[in-house]
Structures are given as C-alpha cells and as structure tokens.
Amino acid sequence: MVFAKISQVAHYVPDQIVTNDDLSQILETSDEWICSRTGITQRRISREQSTSDLALEVAKQLLAKANLDPLELDFVIVATITPDSLMPSTAARVQAGLAAKNAFAFDLTAACSGFAFALSMGQKLIESGAYAKGLILGAETLSKVLDWSDRSTAVLFGDGAGGVLLEQSDTKHFLAESLNSDGSRGQGLVSSVTALNSPYSIKEKNQPYLTMDGRAIFDFAIRDVSKSIMTLLDSSAIDKNQIDYLLLHQANRRILEKMSKKMGIALEKFPANMMFYGNTSAASIPILLSECVADGRIKLDGTQTILLSGFGGGLTWGSLIVKM
Ligand code: 4VN
C-alpha cells in the first residue's frame, strides 16, 4: 500500500502592498470599516505578474527545498479562478517554466475550495500507485477580476500563490475528507470574465467583474461549513481536541470567530493571515500553511493533525484532515 504525504510547502506574494488607507483614497471606505468587518488591513496586488508567474515562483521554491529535479515530477495541478488563459492552462505554463517534461498539468476550478479539492485529487493520484510526485498549487490574481469602483468587493480580495509538493510515503497521512458542492446556490458568488462572449453571459446577465451576495455567502460559511466540519470529525472518529490547527479559507476574520464559537474549538487553533493578504481564494490555505511551517507552528514531522477547509464559489466546500 502506498500513501501520499505533503513533503514541502511554499508561498509567494507580489511585492506591491495596498493598504486600507490606500483604498480609502479611491473608494468611499475606511480602514476602520474594512478592519472591523473583515480583519483585513492590507493586500498584495500584482502589477506585472500573471497567475502563472506567481505559481511558478512557488513551484521553483518547492523543487529547490526538496532538491528535486523537475524531470521527476509526474503532475502539476493549479487551483485557480483567475487563469492566465483557459488554453493553455495555468498549470501548463508552470510546467513549461519548470521544464518538467514528464509531468501532466491541468487547472482545477473550485474557487476558494480549489486547493482543498486539488490536494484531495493529488492524494488520490499518488495513492493509486500510478504516480510518485506532484505539485498542488493555489494561485490567484483576483485584482484583475475585481470592480475597483465597488467597495463591497474590492476591499476583500488580494493576489498570491502557495502550494505543496506531494510524494509517496509508507505511512498514512490523509486521514479523512469531505468534499461538497451545491451548484443550485452558485449565483451568490460569480466571476465570468473568461466567458464574456458566451450565450450564458447574456442569458445570466453576467457582468465582467466578480460579484458576491455577501450575506448569503457569510451565512453559508457559518452554517454549512461548520456543520460539514463537525460531521467529518464525527464520521472519522477524530475528536476535535486531537486537531492541532484548523487552516480555514481566509475570507473574513469574523467567519473564523463565529466558526470557532459554533464548533467549540479555541480561536487560538485557527491561524489567520487575511490581515496581510485579504482573501486570495484558492491561494489562501496554502499561503497560510506555508507561513505556519515557516514560523514553526506546523512542523511537517508527522506528529500534528491539521484540518484544512476551503469554502466559497460554486458553491463549494471541502475539508481534509491530514497528519503532517
Ligand atoms: C467565504 C466567505 C466570503 C465572505 C462573505 C461575506 C463577507 C467574505 C460580507 C459582509 C460585510 C463584510 C464582508 Cl464567508 C467570501 C468568500 C469568497 O472567497 C468565501 N466577506 N462580507 C459586512 O458588511 O460586514
């Protein structure tokens, strides 16, 4: 029996910092409003770099940390809702940038759950025995799909990328998971910028910019996601006290507080970095994981039990419990 494990983590964010005060120069908003409602104080915005540029930086770091020849990679999956293009995929661009000639590469679209879904897919590829090594990346340049005149969305999001190297292991690391979608509630979060000329864009009156029904998504996160995590713990017979950290999608600090309360798990177990990056959709969980490893909270020595949970557009939500 072959198992999969996360052997390396890395992240990369663009240099340019845009603070809440900067935004209040161009929008009718304030640092006080943004900070108290979301916890966000600044975000990174990419000027010149595309999503694949950010993802490639992460991929190079992962290979360097593992001292791995790119030819040893079997697959590259990029979770993103802001691909450079639909064809070639962002992952194909990364594969080219690495010269990872033996790897197959594709993008996975599941919004803020993209990294969780992609990590699960990567684990299955490795545990099938067919593949030995792969990169799972989450990368976004959401700044290019935002309406910079809409204060209800522009202040919430940011750009960045993170990812992991998956390899074979003799021991079990991926303990349990729950992946979910409810397409019937999909209109609460919409971004259709890659399909402006499709008949659906006209029929569904899609506009080019990302739109969000904040209330509906907020309620969904608190109700459905908390319940799904509790059900996963229950069905896998893992006590909530055994979980060292819960790495949740970094959409909003108040979500973490409400979920902590609802699930009866101390807020100290919910690392947060939305303060510095805003909501980076598919990149938020791997950036957070990489920072937790960098600051020593997570050790990657196989002793900790970590729960990862993404939730958002689709609607989609997915959680994995991983021994790291
Ligand atoms: C998950 C969530 C969100 C999200 C939803 C609402 C929201 C983030 C609405 C109320 C507003 C402050 C901001 Cl929970 C987004 C995604 C997409 O990644 C996923 N912020 N807010 C206020 O008036 O307080």
Side-chain angles (χ1 to χ4, degrees), residues 33 37-38 112 152 156-157 189 212-215 217-222 249 251-252 254-255 279 281 311-313:
W33 191 93
R37 300 295 189 107
T38 70
C112 316
S152 75
L156 301 178
F157 297 92
L189 256 167
M212 179 170 83
D213 179 348
R215 181 87 240 163
I217 302 304
F218 203 92
D219 290 349
F220 147 73
I222 291 158
H249 171 49
N252 187 318
R254 279 159 55 219
I255 301 274
N279 176 347
S281 193
F311 43 88

Side-chain angles (χ1 to χ4, degrees), residues 80 82-90 93 107 144 194:
T80 186
T82 48
D84 296 25
S85 52
L86 288 178
M87 179 172 76
S89 68
T90 308
R93 292 168 187 269
D107 289 357
K144 72 184 181 192
T194 54

Side-chain angles (χ1 to χ4, degrees), residues 143-164:
S143 60
K144 72 184 181 192
V145 299
L146 295 174
D147 177 354
W148 286 102
S149 68
D150 174 12
R151 65 177 175 180
S152 75
T153 53
V155 303
L156 301 178
F157 297 92
D159 300 342
V164 303

Side-chain angles (χ1 to χ4, degrees), residues 6-155:
I6 294 173
S7 62
Q8 301 290 342
V9 300
H11 71 282
Y12 176 87
V13 292
D15 289 337
Q16 196 194 353
I17 295 171
V18 175
T19 65
N20 291 348
D21 286 331
D22 293 335
L23 286 181
S24 67
Q25 308 291 309
I26 59 162
L27 287 167
E28 198 61 50
T29 189
S30 68
D31 179 49
E32 202 285 322
W33 191 93
I34 301 170
C35 208
S36 64
R37 300 295 189 107
T38 70
I40 300 164
T41 63
Q42 60 181 55
R43 70 285 295 137
R44 301 300 183 102
I45 300 296
S46 169
R47 285 214 164 148
E48 305 289 331
Q49 292 167 303
S50 69
T51 297
S52 73
D53 293 329
L54 305 184
L56 181 58
E57 291 295 330
V58 175
K60 284 178 174 168
Q61 280 186 48
L62 289 168
L63 294 187
K65 285 181 180 192
N67 198 15
L68 190 71
D69 187 324
L71 296 177
E72 284 192 60
L73 280 179
D74 298 312
F75 59 85
V76 177
I77 308 178
V78 176
T80 186
I81 51 167
T82 48
D84 296 25
S85 52
L86 288 178
M87 179 172 76
S89 68
T90 308
R93 292 168 187 269
V94 172
Q95 186 242 5
L98 294 173
K101 295 189 197 321
N102 299 315
F104 66 95
F106 65 96
D107 289 357
L108 184 151
T109 305
C112 316
S113 310
F115 182 76
F117 283 21
L119 186 59
S120 169
M121 298 307 116
Q123 176 227 346
K124 307 297 177 289
L125 289 172
I126 288 182
E127 296 194 352
S128 75
Y131 306 101
K133 289 177 174 44
L135 299 182
I136 306 297
L137 309 172
E140 305 282 10
T141 45
L142 291 159
S143 60
K144 72 184 181 192
V145 299
L146 295 174
D147 177 354
W148 286 102
S149 68
D150 174 12
R151 65 177 175 180
S152 75
T153 53
V155 303

